[in-house]
Each structure stands twice: as structure tokens, then as C-alpha cells.
Amino acid sequence: MALGEERTNVVILGSTGSVGRSALSVIAHDGAARLRARGLSAHSRWEPLLEQAREFRPRFITLTDPTAAAGLNGQLRGTGIELLTGPDGLERMVQDPETDRVLSAIVGAAGLRGTWAALEAGKLVAIANKETLVVAGPLVMDLARRRKATVIPVDSEHSAIFQCLRAGTPREVRRVVLTSSGGPFRGKSRGELKDVTPEEALRHPTWKMGPKISIDSATLMNKALEVIEARWLFDLRPEQIEVVVHPESVVHSMVEFVDGSVVAQLSPPDMRLPVQYALTFPDRVAGPCPRLDLSHRFSLSFEPPDRETFPCLELGFEVMRRGGTAGAALNAANEAAVARFLDGQIGFLDIPRACRAALDHHSFDPRPSLDDLWKVDAWARQEVARWST
Ligand code: NDP
Ligand code: MG
């Protein structure tokens, strides 16, 4: 879209979260030049949603937890903003004819429904909600193809790969290398991880994110999910995907082409950049993000991941190779285990154990329907809820 043309109407699913707030910061910086918030959603936290609604004046807001809507009672009177509730509200916002782009930034498999509805309506979907692709990658990408919808990654690594891929054709790609900060426990031994607390695990060295992905970053499950995400998003073969630890989080990922050239994307760690790129793609515009400061000496380092201390990473590679229902089992077990760890019910090292157990005991189906995937999801959550250490 060139300046002076119509503005892009954006629906943000999960606007009260960390990625959602990054998106609103991009929209605020844009000053209504090209981007406009058309719909916002939260699950239950109506107060920050109301504040966002007052500032950005969207056409709709949705609270997916209908019981939370009572808090908003009457507060939108006279604003022209319509309050919707439940998952149907998400569908209504994303399928609205005036909605141009949808940012999928709900956390967990709960993000699948709104993402699916947006793709079904043929919208451009900026996808941060990696769990959707982990659970149902092949079905989601197939739906996008059938409905001629566009999927643009927001996860920083996948945004980097997406940008780097523009340097060649798909047949010219040898491999993609996802970078990982290594999380807050890089360099620690398994023994040292036994008794870590949720507070310690939540303290990420380079990124400020929501609690679930912060724990995933500490176990390296986040990288495991990203490996699976990359496979489906970019239609890669499993052997084309690798992970390297890069603690500075400046190189967001790399693509190696068949001639040996490696193309990387660099920027200071700030989610507003990949969010903005997905909202303005194919254009690049000046935004609120800090620039890379090359005026003083600094170095970038890379090291192989410690697969023994962080067994989640291996689970990701295994699930990426297996496909089928494996992603749904892994993702649901992980969501349930992370919630129990945050509640103080299980230890840090129990997270990979619970995921391993769910993967080993679920009844694998190589070509599941969406319904089959939801059944595996529910089964794995139940198993982990009953799981005792
Ligand atoms: P947050 O926990 O910060 O925010 C989650 C958002 O989803 C909130 O708006 C929350 O609403 C809403 N939500 C939670 N549960 C539900 C539900 N059951 N139904 C509907 N909405 C729900 O998450 P993040 O912003 O950190 O992450 C969002 C997604 O983006 C995740 O998939 C994550 O993996 C991915 N991502 C995040 C990055 C980051 O930097 N944070 C980087 C790359 C990817 P409420 O406020 O009411 O709870
Ligand atoms: Mg990432």
C-alpha cells in the first residue's frame, strides 16, 4: 500500500499480551498513516482491553471469556465500539469484510480457532501464535493455499527466515538455521536445573515476553516448537532445519543457499520489528524500533545447543520428523506441564518428562483431521493433569 491510499484495518487477537502490545505500539507510532486497529481481543483481562479500546477506538473488541464481560458493562456506551464475547466474537472480527490483516497473538492452542477463521476468510494473517502451526501445521497451510490467504510469520526467527528467503528461490535453499538465545539457564547442568523456581525461569536474558513462552524459552521447548513451525511454514524437509545458540539475540536466523552463501537478518531484539514487517509487508517503513549500533566494538557468538541438559529440543526434532498427531500431543502436554510448573505443582525437569510420556503414549495418527487433533489435545492435557512426579 502506498502512502495516501486506504489504511490497513488490523484485527489483533490477543491485544493485551506481549505481542499484542507490541503491535499497538507500532500502530500508535504509525499515527494512523497506514495502519488502523479495527478489532482487539483479550481472554479475561477486561481492564487493559478497555484502556486499549479507549485509546485506539476499534470497531469491535472481544472478550473470549464471556464471564469477564460483566466488568465492561456500560463502559462502552456512546463510544460506537461493539463488545463481542466468546470465540464467536473472534470469528466475527476476523471475517468482517473490512478487516484486511489479522495478527494472531493469542497464546497456546487456543489461538487456532481465530487463526483458522481468518484464513478461511482469505485474510492476510500475521502469525505469532506458533502453537497453531505446531498442532495443525499441514492443515493450516493447506487451508491458506485453498483460500488464497497469506501467512506472514511474526516469530522473530521465522520473520528473519522469511526475509532471508527473498534472496533466492525455494530450490536454491540448502538449510535454515534458527538462532536461540539459550534462555536464562544457558551453561547450567541438569543438576543445577532440578530446583529452579518459576521466578528464575521467567527471567529471560534478552526478550520480555508472556509467561508461557518465557518458560518455553528456559526449557528450550520454544526452539523445539519453532523447528516444527519452520517446517510447515516454509515447506522444508526435516534435515534442512538446524538450531544454533546465539546469546546476543541480534542475528535472528539465517538461510544457507546451495552455493554456500549464508544470508542473515540482524536487528536489536525487539518484537515490534517483526510485527511491523508483517503488518506493512511487502513494504518496509520507518518504525519505533531502535537501530543496530555499529559505532563501537561488539561481537556476536554462536555455539551448539546443549541437547542433553535441554531434552525438549530433541522432542521438537522428533515431532517435526513424525508429523501427524505428534505436534498436538507435544504442544498440549507442554501447555499443561508449564501451567503446573508455574503453579508450583511440578519441577522444571518434569516438563520434558511429561511431554515425553504424552508423546510415547498417545495413539499416533499420521493423517489426522482437525477433530482428531482436538481429541489428542484434550487427551494429553488430561494425562498431564493426572501425572504425578
Ligand atoms: P501473553 O501471555 O503475553 O498474551 C496472551 C494473549 O492471549 C492475551 O491477550 C490473553 O488475554 C490472550 N489469551 C490467553 N488465553 C486465551 C484464551 N484461552 N483464549 C483467547 N485468548 C487468550 O502471550 P505472548 O504475547 O507472549 O505470546 C502470544 C503468542 O505469540 C504465543 O503463541 C507466543 O508463543 C508467540 N510469540 C511471542 C513472542 C513474545 O515476544 N512474547 C515472540 C514470538 C512468538 P488476557 O490478557 O485476557 O489473558
Ligand atoms: Mg522466536
Side-chain angles (χ1 to χ4, degrees):
M1 191 191 80
L3 279 176
E5 287 179 20
E6 261 181 49
R7 283 174 290 179
T8 305
N9 284 320
V10 182
V11 166
I12 304 175
L13 306 180
S15 64
T16 50
S18 161
V19 173
R21 292 194 309 274
S22 289
L24 285 173
S25 158
V26 167
I27 292 176
H29 185 272
D30 170 72
R34 49 190 299 150
L35 300 172
R36 186 162 160 48
R38 175 144 182 95
L40 305 175
S41 94
H43 186 54
S44 54
R45 295 188 318 121
W46 61 268
E47 282 146 313
L49 185 65
L50 177 62
E51 221 169 275
Q52 292 179 346
R54 287 193 171 131
E55 182 179 350
F56 291 91
R57 296 281 161 165
R59 167 77 184 79
F60 321 92
I61 60 172
T62 297
L63 277 166
T64 38
D65 174 1
T67 59
L72 272 176
N73 211 358
Q75 308 231 40
L76 293 174
R77 200 165 296 134
T79 61
I81 302 169
E82 188 175 348
L83 171 64
L84 308 169
T85 55
D88 292 351
L90 301 183
E91 290 186 0
R92 169 104 188 273
M93 296 200 301
V94 302
Q95 296 185 332
D96 187 82
E98 285 189 38
T99 297
D100 300 308
R101 298 194 178 198
V102 174
L103 173 63
S104 165
I106 286 172
V107 64
L112 177 54
R113 192 158 162 192
T115 311
W116 189 272
L119 292 172
E120 213 153 36
K123 305 291 181 182
L124 183 147
V125 179
I127 189 157
N129 175 239
K130 65 191 83 186
E131 294 90 346
T132 280
L133 289 163
V134 171
V135 173
L139 295 179
V140 166
M141 296 310 288
D142 179 58
L143 176 68
R145 271 187 295 273
R146 282 190 286 114
R147 308 300 300 181
K148 297 191 172 40
T150 308
V151 177
I152 311 274
V154 169
D155 210 347
S156 57
E157 296 76 2
H158 304 73
S159 173
I161 293 168
F162 183 77
Q163 295 177 57
C164 296
L165 284 173
R166 291 165 69 82
T169 67
R171 290 165 58 105
E172 290 165 352
V173 174
R174 178 175 287 149
R175 60 172 177 160
V176 304
V177 183
L178 282 91
T179 53
S180 158
S181 70
F185 302 137
R186 184 175 62 90
K188 295 247 187 287
S189 67
R190 267 185 92 68
E192 289 171 293
L193 294 185
K194 201 169 141 295
D195 296 317
V196 298
T197 62
E199 291 67 37
E200 289 167 316
L202 285 168
R203 227 172 282 140
H204 197 274
T206 46
W207 297 95
K208 183 143 182 25
M209 311 178 285
K212 192 262 179 182
I213 185 178
S214 296
I215 301 302
D216 287 349
S217 299
T219 58
L220 293 204
M221 182 59 88
N222 183 47
K223 213 47 55 183
L225 302 179
E226 290 183 355
V227 160
I228 305 165
E229 179 185 12
R231 170 159 195 208
W232 304 128
L233 257 178
F234 303 118
D235 196 18
L236 296 165
R237 295 188 307 280
E239 63 275 16
Q240 286 181 293
I241 304 176
E242 290 175 30
V243 169
V244 67
V245 171
H246 164 53
E248 294 85 6
S249 301
V250 168
V251 175
H252 295 298
S253 278
M254 305 175 247
V255 174
E256 184 184 324
F257 291 92
V258 286
D259 59 358
S261 261
V262 177
V263 178
Q265 186 260 333
L266 284 70
S267 56
D270 188 325
M271 281 307 293
R272 289 176 299 181
L273 183 53
V275 167
Q276 175 180 297
Y277 184 66
L279 296 183
T280 63
F281 174 83
D283 299 340
R284 289 185 184 273
V285 298
C289 293
R291 293 173 53 209
L292 199 56
D293 179 4
L294 296 168
S295 65
H296 64 279
R297 189 191 169 93
F298 77 106
S299 49
L300 299 174
S301 54
F302 299 91
E303 64 192 42
D306 176 352
R307 292 169 185 251
E308 271 163 43
T309 308
F310 300 99
C312 286
L313 191 56
E314 221 44 54
L315 295 180
F317 278 99
E318 177 186 324
V319 166
M320 166 182 69
R321 284 189 292 265
R322 286 180 82 190
T325 44
L330 176 71
N331 179 69
N334 180 57
E335 282 191 38
V338 168
R340 289 193 69 185
F341 170 68
L342 285 170
D343 272 358
Q345 296 173 13
I346 63 173
F348 186 73
L349 296 178
D350 293 325
I351 299 174
R353 287 191 194 117
C355 293
R356 175 82 266 164
L359 264 183
D360 289 348
H361 296 115
H362 97 279
S363 68
F364 179 73
D365 178 347
R367 293 187 67 81
S369 66
L370 201 53
D371 257 12
D372 299 331
L373 292 171
W374 282 125
K375 280 183 195 134
V376 169
D377 175 286
W379 172 86
R381 282 172 206 270
Q382 257 170 26
E383 286 298 294
V384 177
R386 289 192 310 182
W387 200 70
S388 52
T389 56

